[in-house]
């Protein structure tokens, strides 16, 4: 009996890791698009103005991926279709991603 429970835990951890890595990767791509669109940065921003958004936004995106994973697990617990649960958790991730972009670009592009 214990062996079967541990096998399920391994599958859950892999799925959670996929959501977290996917959320962080999407956030990194989005913030890189914003950062690379700046040709001439404002001198008031400092020399390393890109570091904060490139670290903060993917971290918050990964957190959003984890929240999205738990929303889909909640949908499965409530016996809602997997696709419907995934689609219902998308707005939650998008709001968290938006908050990460705002916090990452605060003081530079988001003024």
């Amino acid at each position: 009996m214990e062996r079967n429970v541990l096998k399920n835990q391994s599958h859950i951890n892999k799925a959670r890791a996929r959501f977290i890595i996917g959320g962080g990767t999407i956030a990194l791509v989005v913030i890189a698009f914003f950062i690379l669109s700046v040709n001439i940065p404002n001198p008031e921003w400092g020399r390393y103005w890109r570091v904060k958004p490139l670290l903060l936004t993917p971290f918050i995106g990964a957190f959003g991926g984890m929240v999205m994973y738990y929303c889909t697990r909640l949908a499965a617990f409530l016996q809602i279709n997997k696709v419907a649960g995934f689609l219902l958790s998308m707005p939650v991730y998008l709001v968290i991603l938006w908050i990460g972009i705002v916090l990452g670009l605060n003081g530079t592009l988001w003024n």
Side-chain angles (χ1 to χ4, degrees):
M1 182 75 174
E2 285 182 36
R3 187 180 267 176
N4 193 15
V5 171
L6 293 176
K7 207 174 206 182
N8 276 346
Q9 290 294 327
S10 173
H11 171 68
I12 290 171
N13 288 336
K14 287 179 185 177
R16 185 179 349 163
R18 272 188 269 132
F19 273 88
I20 291 171
I21 291 170
T25 304
I26 291 170
L28 180 64
V29 168
V30 170
I31 201 67
F33 171 74
F34 282 110
I35 288 176
L36 294 176
S37 69
V38 177
N39 293 331
I40 303 171
N42 190 341
E44 294 177 2
W45 296 346
R47 187 172 178 188
Y48 300 107
W49 69 273
R50 292 179 180 97
V51 173
K52 178 183 161 192
L54 285 174
L55 290 177
L56 188 63
T57 305
F59 178 74
I60 294 175
F63 175 75
M66 184 180 67
V67 169
M68 192 172 169
Y69 167 76
Y70 283 116
C71 287
T72 56
R73 294 286 295 172
L74 178 65
F77 177 75
L78 297 174
Q79 297 178 349
I80 298 174
N81 187 355
K82 281 185 177 184
V83 174
F86 183 80
L87 292 176
L88 289 173
S89 66
M90 282 298 290
V92 174
Y93 175 74
L94 292 175
V95 168
I96 292 173
L97 177 62
W98 176 71
I99 290 171
I101 291 170
V102 170
L103 288 175
L105 295 177
N106 184 26
T108 56
L109 290 176
W110 197 278
N111 239 352

